[in-house]
Amino acid sequence: MAEKILLRHEDVPNLRRIDVYESDGGYRAARKAVTEMQPTQIIEEVKDSGLRGRGGAGFPTGVKWSFLPKDSPKPTYLLCNADESEPGTFKDRQIIEHNPHLIIEGMIIAAAAIKCRTAYIYIRGEMALGAKRLEDALAEAYQRGFLGKGIFGSGIDLDIFVHRGAGAYICGEETGLIESLEGKRAYPRVKPPFPATYGVFGCPTIVNNVETLCCVVPIINRGAKWFKAIGPEKGPGPKLYCVSGHVNRPGVYELPMGTPLREILYDHAGGIRGGKQLKAVIPGGSSVPLFTPDQLDTPMDFDSVAKAGSLLGSCGIIVMDEDTCMVRALQIIARFYHHESCGQCTPCREGTGWLHRLCGHLEDGGADAKDVELLMQIADNMMGNTVCVLADAAAMPVKSFIAKFRSEFEEHLRAGGCPQKRRTAAA
């Protein structure tokens, strides 16, 4: 896909300024949605496009919008999830910092579709530059009359506010985000009820990821048929792939959904750094099962990755070369989820810490002979037994790493610690 849609700022300098954005066709789709289309028409167009949520779950966006109650007396809210907290994921940040008006335009269209008059962009606190860019872009949009009272000369009002979080991983989960936005501790809610019926302030709410909302703009501009022609039928459109780790050219790559993993790593990211061999790849952020080199021809779309035994997730592709200690890699992942567990659910609060400690024993010495099997048992008991999926996010890497590299874990047991560390120290 030669033309950039979501990363257009790479071809058009200063696209974060509203005059440049407008001269490149910006806000044309929003104006069309607000002044020429009915809410049901917008929803049907997005449904017909086949757009699936880009935040991780991959749920059809138009279908999600249609779940809102038709006769609720309460106001409807739109929340843009810009928390982007999954390790290995940095695609939304690219748009936030360099093309914030694309997000705002997508939100205007979504708000028109769901009859929303107040919307929020929830951004993680560490993204100070991104928050500033969004605030500046919103000020420009208000000045132009694209936000506020009677947007685009219509009878529709819309206000968008930036809300900065405090940097908790759990705020990437939609109900944790809602709790935080309400000023409470970010404890995810039991579902049902789902946010579409009972969301922020107890009102019907739609939560969409940054990339998802940005995809809405070209759908309204060019039509569902154009969007559906990009990539696989059951999950089409352009996709942002984040590549990090042991590659020559880490970065964010915009490619058609379903681009093979091998092409992403070797044609776009320049192959494995230092000419080394590939050992493993995490395809969708640190919380998903990993792939081994024999799975490189997997198309990177929701259904193909699931069929291959993992999840596309947030599409944070983390590459590990032949020298990577898999026990150490798992220890780092386990440490993250231990730190980020909100503590609401016992299996997660206790289990994440247990996983982290056991990985540490294996890596540093002092592990018991049964500890590898114990890791698997703990992971099994964590999965599916908590309010949200953070426990699953911590458990899935454990099960995957051990299943595919068990011999390496057992070697740590026999050696009384990391053999690689010992070899390095001896040298």
Side-chain angles (χ1 to χ4, degrees):
M1 188 172 70
E3 182 189 8
K4 289 189 176 73
I5 307 296
L6 304 175
L7 297 184
R8 194 155 180 79
H9 60 268
E10 293 180 353
D11 296 331
V12 182
N14 298 315
L15 199 57
R16 68 177 183 273
R17 288 170 31 200
I18 197 167
D19 54 339
V20 178
Y21 184 74
E22 275 196 278
S23 67
D24 193 54
Y27 288 107
R28 187 176 60 201
R31 187 184 299 276
K32 176 182 176 182
V34 171
T35 63
E36 299 176 25
M37 300 176 74
Q38 294 298 314
T40 53
Q41 289 178 297
I42 302 170
I43 292 174
E44 285 306 310
E45 192 72 16
V46 174
K47 270 188 186 178
D48 291 346
S49 73
L51 172 64
R52 293 172 67 172
R54 303 302 203 236
F59 194 82
T61 303
V63 174
K64 188 176 188 178
W65 292 356
S66 68
F67 284 161
L68 288 168
K70 304 294 188 290
D71 53 358
S72 174
K74 298 179 179 179
T76 299
Y77 290 93
L78 172 68
L79 308 184
C80 171
N81 186 346
D83 192 67
E84 192 161 57
S85 48
E86 184 74 14
T89 313
F90 40 91
K91 59 185 177 66
D92 295 345
R93 187 175 195 164
Q94 284 281 316
I95 303 173
I96 292 167
E97 293 182 358
H98 301 289
N99 194 4
H101 285 287
L102 183 62
I103 303 168
I104 295 167
E105 184 170 14
M107 292 184 72
I108 293 171
I109 295 167
I114 65 173
K115 300 179 183 178
C116 161
R117 300 297 174 257
T118 305
Y120 295 90
I121 302 172
Y122 186 101
I123 185 169
R124 64 187 298 104
E126 294 94 333
M127 293 189 190
L129 176 60
K132 176 68 165 56
R133 294 273 169 88
L134 284 166
E135 292 279 12
D136 290 346
L138 285 171
E140 289 181 319
Y142 271 102
Q143 195 171 34
R144 283 283 207 279
F146 300 163
L147 291 173
K149 298 288 185 183
I151 62 174
F152 299 104
S154 70
I156 296 173
D157 302 337
L158 176 62
D159 289 302
I160 299 178
F161 303 95
V162 174
H163 183 94
R164 295 182 67 183
Y169 174 82
I170 200 60
C171 291
E173 194 277 337
E174 62 179 7
T175 60
L177 184 156
I178 288 169
E179 290 286 296
S180 176
L181 185 63
E182 290 179 346
K184 294 179 283 186
R185 192 168 190 161
Y187 278 170
R189 298 175 179 176
V190 175
K191 294 182 282 190
F194 292 94
T197 54
Y198 189 91
V200 71
F201 314 127
C203 298
T205 303
I206 290 294
V207 184
N208 284 139
N209 167 261
V210 167
E211 186 184 354
T212 308
L213 289 164
C214 291
C215 283
V216 171
V217 177
I219 289 170
I220 299 302
N221 262 332
R222 303 191 184 192
K225 187 176 180 181
W226 166 83
F227 190 86
K228 201 157 189 174
I230 302 170
E233 183 181 353
K234 293 186 177 180
K239 184 73 190 83
L240 298 182
Y241 296 99
C242 313
V243 186
S244 62
H246 303 147
V247 290
N248 286 309
R249 292 194 298 270
V252 181
Y253 297 93
E254 181 177 351
L255 299 164
M257 180 74 87
T259 299
L261 181 56
R262 185 184 301 277
E263 179 184 329
I264 296 170
L265 296 190
Y266 288 92
D267 294 354
H268 301 284
I272 310 305
R273 193 176 62 194
K276 294 182 179 180
Q277 295 299 307
L278 175 68
K279 188 171 187 177
V281 183
I282 301 175
S286 65
S287 62
V288 307
L290 53 75
F291 281 164
T292 44
D294 59 312
Q295 295 173 292
L296 281 185
D297 293 314
T298 303
M300 289 291 283
D301 62 75
F302 294 105
D303 298 333
S304 298
V305 173
K307 187 177 178 181
S310 189
L311 297 165
L312 189 66
S314 60
C315 221
I317 301 170
I318 305 170
V319 181
M320 293 172 272
D321 69 19
E322 58 188 289
D323 294 333
T324 303
C325 171
M326 302 309 288
V327 176
R328 174 62 175 155
L330 183 59
Q331 180 191 18
I332 292 167
I333 291 172
R335 180 180 65 193
F336 173 81
Y337 290 108
H338 178 201
H339 180 267
E340 293 296 336
S341 173
C342 75
Q344 180 179 196
C345 307
T346 303
C348 183
R349 182 181 65 247
E350 302 301 325
T352 52
W354 206 354
L355 294 177
H356 179 211
R357 287 191 296 274
L358 287 173
C359 288
H361 294 331
L362 282 166
E363 179 67 6
D364 301 328
D368 187 270
K370 296 179 181 179
D371 280 355
V372 175
E373 194 54 44
L374 183 58
L375 278 166
M376 293 291 277
Q377 290 173 7
I378 296 166
D380 283 335
N381 287 329
M382 289 171 66
M383 291 189 68
N385 290 317
T386 51
V387 170
C388 81
V389 295
L390 191 147
D392 296 54
M396 280 192 289
V398 172
K399 293 169 69 69
S400 177
F401 272 63
I402 294 176
K404 295 191 175 182
F405 294 96
R406 191 180 189 102
S407 61
E408 195 165 326
F409 284 77
E410 291 172 347
E411 187 184 2
H412 276 64
L413 274 175
R414 289 192 298 270
C418 180
Q420 199 173 89
K421 277 184 182 177
R422 291 173 182 270
R423 286 193 293 268
T424 304

